[in-house]
Amino acid sequence: MDKNRCLQLMCSFLGVYLGLGGVLFYYQVLQASHTAGQTAEMHSRTVGLRDIPRGDILDRNGVPLTGKYTVWGLYGWPQLVKDPRHTTEELAARLGWDDKEVAAVENRFIRGQKEGQALVLLKLPVARYELDILERSPVDGVNLLPVQRRYGDDGFACHLLGEVKLKEDLLGAPHAEEWSGVSGVEKRYDEVLRRVPPGPVDEVAVMVDARGNPIPGIPPKVRKREDSGQGNNVVLTVDQRLQEAVEKVMDRRVQKGAVVVMDVASRDILAMASRPKFRYDGETEAVKEEKDSPFLNRALALYHPGSVFKLVVAAAALEAGVVSVNDTWNCTGSYAFDNGVSIGCWKKEGHGWLNLAEGLANSCNSVLIQVGLKLGREKLLDYVQRLRVTDTEIIGYPGVEPEGHVRVEPGPVAMGNASIGQEGVMLSPVQVASLVATIADDGRWTAPRLVKGIRRADGRWEGRFDTLPKERVISSKTARQLKAMLELAVKSGTGKQGQLKWTGSAGKTASSQTGRFDQSGKEILDTWFAGYLPTENPRWVIVVLVENGISGGETAAPVFREIGEALCGLSGI
């Protein structure tokens, strides 16, 4: 009996030992890497190496438009710095900081020590010469680390993407909730982008002791964090390659103005750019949208459309049946009203007798004023509404201000000015693009779209913005007649410099008066070219606005042609 009990006891102990051995084998062998990782996590702290920790803004193909730039940042380890003042003065002596910069960096060290921060950002970005200096002569307690920067220094798509700023003056590394969008997509999707940023992203890990202080002698490690699947990105309709091509052309040809490229079938905005650009510094008090401000997105700002508006007058007159394409009018160089007021044509000696197609192709003021007077104020305003000319809706991009308008005071002179897109008529380049797309799409309207939706880092859609059903706003016959006029304008009219050899192109020039004059007394003109390509089965609309240009044909049309050529190249045409 005693032997049986001893045997049972020995078996019990053996079972316990085998169980413990199995557990040890599982954790020390099978789960060794995982356990080591957990242990390392318990004794390390990590800081994400993003200058602005937010979700990204992507193009239509998922290519990042933000967060794709890498620069060097100067970081400090507050717990390893015994004397913040001494360390800061060492840095200042090497890098030539002034008293304000010294005070700011010293305060970051002091605050970091009080709050137990492992790492604080001292300067971003670090210039090339500063990198060389610190690599040759390092300072204890600071490191140079690669940082994923949200924006580049070239101002790429700055008006479209917008800008963020800090809610408060931080002394340490910023967190997602402390940044807010103040313009563009950053502003309209601030709550979405402020969520935990999706990976992968570089981060730095530092080993710490039981008190959370960095362990001297163990250098920090930069590593790539795996995709967490958390956070959201905003997906635009813009094509990154086309946006770059548009901006390159504008950098050479457009000092002040805007370009919009729109897909005719879907009305997706494929590119939107404005000049002048602004620099991303995160320190602007507010994004001002004054007339001459570099922060103004001119693609959404209001201008007199000038002769581009003649398309609306011609469409309304044809659709209402008050004129035909074969009716003719005489241009003597100006149109005189009964009260003695006259409005001149750009061709001072006059065009002579022209039909509607020739009048539009040659941008004759006299012809279109006479067409407008025959149409009448009420019919014009009615067709402005039917064509949705002043509609401001952009799918996925709410709150576009201010609204465009067509206001025509009673009387022949006001009607004459409105007929040539001057007094009382204000539209944005996006609205002009929408008008041209309606004509190119056989007289069918739908709202432009700028944002496809919100997508998680794992690829799943959090929300999508679908295009609206198309509405017929003018007949196919009228649309075909207008397209023939736009083709004629490029072949033999004022838009010759917008001609594309292989695909053909169609468009309308404009040189609108601003009421402003330069130092020599010459009036400043806003010059336009609004057109589409190819002429057979139109695919794209391009609208070019150049402020202070010579004329639409001379200044804006060549920009249209270059962008059209780039678009064809990217599309393999």
Side-chain angles (χ1 to χ4, degrees):
M1 191 71 177
D2 291 339
K3 290 182 179 181
N4 290 335
R5 288 182 179 179
C6 289
L7 183 61
Q8 290 176 356
L9 187 60
M10 290 177 64
C11 289
S12 298
F13 279 119
L14 180 61
V16 171
Y17 281 120
L18 287 174
L20 290 173
V23 171
L24 289 172
F25 179 80
Y26 175 78
Y27 282 106
Q28 293 188 358
V29 178
L30 299 180
Q31 294 288 316
S33 60
H34 179 68
T35 304
Q38 287 185 319
T39 303
E41 291 292 332
M42 292 174 61
H43 295 284
S44 68
R45 288 187 180 180
T46 59
V47 178
L49 293 179
R50 285 184 181 227
D51 66 335
I52 302 175
R54 287 164 70 88
D56 283 322
I57 301 171
L58 312 177
D59 88 335
R60 65 187 298 108
N61 301 309
V63 178
L65 301 176
T66 57
K68 61 178 182 178
Y69 308 92
T70 300
V71 295
W72 288 93
L74 182 63
Y75 284 83
W77 308 92
Q79 311 310 320
L80 298 182
V81 172
K82 294 181 180 180
D83 186 347
R85 181 68 179 180
H86 176 72
T87 298
T88 304
E89 287 178 345
E90 280 194 75
L91 288 169
R94 288 165 173 76
L95 303 179
W97 287 347
D98 58 26
D99 292 342
K100 184 178 179 180
E101 290 173 301
V102 169
V105 171
E106 182 181 6
N107 285 336
R108 288 171 188 160
F109 273 122
I110 293 171
R111 179 171 173 176
Q113 289 176 340
K114 289 180 179 179
E115 297 182 358
Q117 296 181 31
L119 189 69
V120 293
L121 176 63
L122 304 179
K123 184 176 183 181
L124 184 77
V126 176
R128 180 71 256 180
Y129 80 92
E130 294 174 320
L131 279 173
D132 295 338
I133 292 172
L134 292 173
E135 286 174 353
R136 291 196 308 267
S137 180
V139 176
D140 291 338
V142 299
N143 281 99
L144 291 164
L145 299 171
V147 179
Q148 186 179 347
R149 199 169 195 192
R150 190 164 185 82
Y151 311 116
D153 292 329
D154 58 355
F156 173 71
C158 56
H159 300 90
L160 170 63
L161 301 176
E163 191 178 18
V164 296
K165 69 174 183 177
L166 286 169
K167 281 190 170 182
E168 59 182 356
D169 183 18
L170 293 181
L171 299 180
H175 300 288
E177 65 273 10
E178 293 165 326
W179 293 87
S180 60
V182 294
S183 66
V185 175
E186 296 279 21
K187 177 181 179 180
R188 286 161 174 82
Y189 289 89
D190 187 48
E191 291 299 321
V192 171
L193 294 169
R194 282 171 60 191
R195 299 177 191 174
V196 178
V201 63
D202 287 339
E203 63 183 10
V204 62
V206 57
M207 298 301 293
V208 296
D209 58 23
R211 296 183 178 181
N213 296 323
I215 301 174
I218 302 180
K221 292 184 178 180
V222 177
R223 64 193 186 191
K224 184 75 71 176
R225 188 182 71 205
E226 293 300 322
D227 191 340
S228 65
Q230 300 180 18
N232 291 321
N233 297 318
V234 176
V235 184
L236 306 185
T237 60
V238 167
D239 185 295
Q240 180 257 348
R241 299 176 305 158
L242 179 58
Q243 182 75 22
E244 286 185 346
V246 166
E247 299 212 19
K248 285 180 181 178
V249 175
M250 294 184 74
D251 286 340
R252 288 187 287 104
R253 286 188 170 273
V254 182
Q255 291 186 350
K256 187 181 290 187
V259 168
V260 176
V261 182
M262 185 178 293
D263 182 274
V264 171
S266 66
R267 299 304 200 277
D268 282 354
I269 296 174
L270 302 178
M272 177 194 289
S274 178
R275 290 294 182 275
K277 296 185 286 190
F278 63 85
R279 290 180 60 84
Y280 291 107
D281 57 19
E283 297 177 357
T284 52
E285 293 181 3
V287 177
K288 299 179 181 179
E289 296 194 351
E290 300 171 354
K291 185 65 179 176
D292 293 322
S293 170
F295 295 106
L296 176 66
N297 186 351
R298 285 167 168 75
L300 300 174
L302 299 182
Y303 297 84
H304 293 303
S307 295
V308 171
F309 190 72
K310 292 172 182 176
L311 290 169
V312 178
V313 177
L318 289 169
E319 196 77 354
V322 299
V323 301
S324 74
V325 291
N326 296 318
D327 291 343
T328 59
W329 297 267
N330 187 32
C331 170
T332 61
S334 66
Y335 181 83
F337 296 89
D338 292 340
N339 63 359
V341 175
S342 65
I343 297 177
C345 185
W346 67 269
K347 192 172 184 179
K348 294 181 180 180
E349 65 274 23
H351 287 98
W353 288 91
L354 300 174
N355 62 27
L356 180 57
E358 293 167 337
L360 192 72
N362 289 282
S363 202
C364 178
N365 285 350
S366 297
V367 167
L368 270 297
I369 289 172
Q370 293 174 79
V371 172
L373 292 173
K374 193 168 185 180
L375 173 67
R377 175 175 178 269
E378 296 302 323
K379 282 190 174 68
L380 174 62
L381 293 176
D382 178 44
Y383 276 96
V384 164
Q385 294 300 315
R386 291 193 195 186
L387 286 162
R388 309 290 287 269
V389 174
T390 59
D391 195 286
T392 59
E393 181 178 9
I394 299 177
I395 297 172
Y397 198 79
V400 176
E401 297 290 347
E403 295 184 1
H405 60 261
V406 178
R407 298 168 186 158
V408 186
E409 297 295 328
V413 176
M415 186 63 195
N417 273 309
S419 297
I420 59 174
Q422 288 292 157
E423 184 178 351
V425 183
M426 298 291 284
L427 300 175
S428 72
V430 169
Q431 289 173 322
V432 171
S434 179
L435 169 64
V436 176
T438 296
I439 296 169
D441 197 20
D442 197 41
R444 296 176 296 178
W445 176 90
T446 188
R449 183 173 70 154
L450 184 57
V451 179
K452 292 176 71 173
I454 301 165
R455 195 168 70 190
R456 296 178 58 86
D458 59 12
R460 291 181 298 162
W461 288 97
E462 190 84 1
R464 300 192 66 167
F465 302 109
D466 296 325
T467 55
L468 300 176
K470 293 180 180 179
E471 305 172 16
R472 177 161 296 285
V473 293
I474 55 174
S475 67
S476 294
K477 179 182 178 181
T478 298
R480 287 195 303 271
Q481 290 172 328
L482 292 170
K483 286 194 285 187
M485 296 178 197
L486 292 173
E487 291 178 33
L488 184 64
V490 172
K491 288 179 181 178
S492 59
T494 56
K496 292 178 182 177
Q497 292 197 57
Q499 190 169 23
L500 289 164
K501 183 177 180 181
W502 301 111
T503 62
S505 56
K508 182 73 190 74
T509 60
S511 304
S512 60
Q513 296 175 304
T514 64
R516 305 192 309 274
F517 298 84
D518 61 20
Q519 293 180 347
S520 67
K522 183 180 179 181
E523 185 171 17
I524 296 172
L525 301 176
D526 291 335
T527 57
W528 297 77
F529 190 95
Y532 62 82
L533 69 147
T535 50
E536 295 293 329
N537 300 316
R539 294 179 60 183
W540 306 291
V541 165
I542 302 173
V543 171
V544 178
L545 164 71
V546 183
E547 295 186 33
N548 198 16
I550 298 171
S551 69
E554 188 171 343
T555 306
V559 179
F560 169 92
R561 185 186 66 247
E562 283 197 35
I563 293 173
E565 290 170 348
L567 183 54
C568 290
L570 291 172
S571 303
I573 296 178

